[in-house]
Amino acid sequence: MVKLRNLVLFLLLLTVAAPILLYTTDPSASFKTPSSKREFLEDVTALTFNSDENRLNLLPRESPAVVRRDVVGSVLYSTQDSDSSSLRRQETRDQLSAARVLSATDDETQSLTVNPIQQVTDAAPEIDNKPSDVHVSADSSQSKERMQVQLTQKTNEKVDEQEPKDSGAEKERGGNGLMPDAHVRHLKDQLIRAKVYLSLPAAKANPHFVRELRLRVKEVQRAVSDASMDSDLPKNALEKLKAMELTLAKGKQIQDDCSTVVKKLRAMLHSAEEQLGTHKKQTMFLTQLTAKTIPKGLHCLPLRLTTDYYALNSSEQQFPNQEKLEDNQLYHYALFSDNVLAASVVVNSTITNAKHPSKHVFHIVTDRLNYAAMRMWFLRNPPGKATIQVQNVEEFTWLNSSYSPVLKQLSSRSMIDYYFRAHHTNSDANLKFRNPKYLSILNHLRFYLPEIFPKLSKVLFLDDDIVVQKDLSGLWSVDLKGNVNGAVETCGESFHRFDRYLNFSNPLISKNFDPRACGWAYGMNVFDLDQWKRQNITEVYHRWQNLNQDRELWKLGTLPPGLITFWKRTYPLERRWHVLGLGYNPSVNQRDIERAAVVHYNGNLKPWLEIGLPKYRGIWSKHVDYEHVYIRDCNINP
C-alpha cells in the first residue's frame, strides 16, 4: 500500500508540476546570447525564397551587422526578455520579412548606383531621426511592426518604379539588364574604395581589418586582371565582389569621418591627374616616334624592287603612253611620295572608281632612294589603261637653294639642329612641330606645281595617305571663280582655324589675316595653274618663307604657309569630295565616310602602320594585293 500511495502521489505531482515548468520556462532563451543571434541572422540571410527575383534583385545585399542596425534605425533583437511567447513569434515573423527583402538580392544588383533602401529611409524622417544604436524593448513591438510594414511597402514602390526603366533599357544593356562591363566597373570602384580605407588612420588602427581588406584587394585584382568586359571575368569574380563589399561595409563603420575620406579622395584625384598627364606625354612621344619609323616590310619592299629594276634592260624600264603627259584634255594627278605601297593604293583606288581610266594620267615624283623602286612597281603593276610618269626630284635642276628659300632653310644647320638635337625635345608643346619629314623637299613640292608641270593648265593634287572611293573626273569641271586653289574647308572644329596654325602675336600675321578664318585641307586640291602663274603665287610663297626664316610666324609643316599663300585665293569645294580624320579620329561619321569621294588618313595613325585605327584599315587594305609576290616575300600583312 505504501508503494502504491507513493506512486499515486508522484503521478499527481508530475501532472501538476509539468505544466508549471512548461509555461514558466522561456523557450526562446536560446536566442539571448549574441553569438546565437548572429548564427540565427546568418541562417536567415542565407535562405532562398521562391519569389519574384526581378523585384528583389534591385536591392544590394547587406552584411548581418547592417541588417541588425540599419534597416529601421534600431536593433531588431531586444536585450530584454519578453513576457509573452506570442509576441516573440510576431517579432520573428517581422525579422524574417525584413531579412527576406534584404537577403534575396542577386549578384547583378551590385552595379546599381542608387540604393532603394536609402531612398526609403530618406523619405521617412520619423525613422531617420532616431539614433541607430537605440534599443527597442518588447513593449514597442507595435510601433516597430508599423515601421517595418511601411518600409516594405515603400521599398516595393521604389522597385515598381525602377522596373519599367530597367525593362526599357534591356535591349541596350543586354539580356540581364546590365551594361556588359557593369561588374568590371564595380570591381574597379571597389579597389579605389579599398585603397582609401587602407590609407585612413582609423582603419590602420585595426590590424585585423587591414589584413582582411588587403586580402580582398589581392583577390579582386586577380579577378579583374586585364578584363574589360564582364565576359572576361573568372567564374568566381562575383563571389569576390560580394566578399569585398562586406569588408568595405566594415570599413565604413570603422571610419565615420566623412571629411577625412573626402580629403583623401581629393588627394588621390590630384595624383591620378598628374599621372594621366605624364602618360599622355609619353603616349604622344611614342606615337610620334612610331609614325616616323619605317616598318620592316616597307623597308624590304623598295630594296627588292630596286634590285629587280636594275636587272632590266633599258627598253624594259620605259612606261607606255608618254605622249599623254602634256595633254590638257586628260585628267592629271600630282602625287609626291617616297612610300611605294601608299602610292600604289592611291593609284589603284583612283583607277578602280574611274569611269574612263584611259583619260587619267598620274605624275609621281619621288626621291632618289625610291626612284627605281617606284618605277619597278608600276612597270610590274600597270594601272590598266591609265598613264604613269615617275620622276626623280634630284633631276629638277632648277630647284636649288638660290631659287627656293625653303630649300636653303632646310639645309641650314639651325634647322637640322631644331629637328634632331635631343636637348630640344621639351622645347615645343606639340611634338609634331619637330617631325623630320618636314625636312623633305617632297613635302614642299606642292608650291612648285607650275614649274614641275609647265604645259598643264589644271592639276589635282593628292597626298599619299588618301583612298579614292568615287570617280574624280567631275572636279575638272568645277568653276573655281578665278581662284587658284579648290579645297574642302575645315570649319567644323576650332582647332582647324587660322589661329591654331599661325602666330597672331606677331604683327605681320595679325595685320594680314583673320584668326577665326576657316582653314582648309591639303590632300585633295584642285589647282588652276594658269591662274597660279597669272597671280604669281610662287613669289608670294617665297616672300613669306623669307619672313619666317626664324620660325616666328609658324612652325608646322606646309599647311600654315599654304593658308597664307592661298589666302583669299581658295574656292571651297563641297564636303562630300574630301573627308578627313581617319588617321587620328576614331569617331568620324560613318555616313560621311561612305559618301566621300576621297577619305584622308591625315594624322599619325596611318593605315600601313600597326598603330593605325583598325576600324578604318579595311578601306585602305582592300586596294593592296597581299598575295603579290613582293608583298608576300616582304611579309606585309593586312
Side-chain angles (χ1 to χ4, degrees), residues 61-107:
R61 187 185 299 276
E62 298 287 348
S63 66
V66 177
V67 171
R68 288 197 299 271
R69 191 185 68 179
D70 292 336
V71 174
V72 293
S74 61
V75 178
L76 294 179
Y77 290 95
S78 173
T79 57
Q80 301 179 8
D81 293 336
S82 173
D83 296 332
S84 170
S85 60
S86 62
L87 180 58
R88 286 192 174 275
R89 285 194 296 271
Q90 180 63 37
E91 289 180 356
T92 302
R93 285 194 299 270
D94 296 340
Q95 294 159 4
L96 285 172
S97 176
R100 177 181 179 184
V101 172
L102 292 173
S103 66
T105 179
D106 189 81
D107 300 333

Side-chain angles (χ1 to χ4, degrees), residues 461-480:
F461 170 79
L462 298 177
D463 265 340
D464 63 358
D465 56 352
I466 62 101
V467 175
V468 178
Q469 300 188 124
K470 300 183 185 303
D471 179 55
L472 300 181
S473 58
L475 287 169
W476 272 265
S477 60
V478 174
D479 183 6
L480 298 181

Side-chain angles (χ1 to χ4, degrees), residues 296-298 300-302 304 629-636:
K296 185 183 296 184
L298 295 185
C300 163
L301 182 61
R304 288 288 312 277
V629 59
Y630 289 117
I631 303 294
R632 188 175 63 250
D633 289 350
C634 288
N635 197 28
I636 299 175

Side-chain angles (χ1 to χ4, degrees), residues 51-59 112 116 119 155-171 173 176-177:
S51 60
D52 186 358
E53 294 182 357
N54 290 332
R55 292 162 61 92
L56 297 177
N57 285 350
L58 292 171
L59 301 178
L112 294 176
Q119 292 180 351
T155 301
N156 290 337
E157 292 174 2
K158 294 293 181 181
V159 171
D160 292 337
E161 292 175 1
Q162 186 70 23
E163 281 183 339
K165 297 179 181 179
D166 291 342
S167 60
E170 190 79 11
K171 294 181 181 180
R173 296 183 177 184
N176 59 2

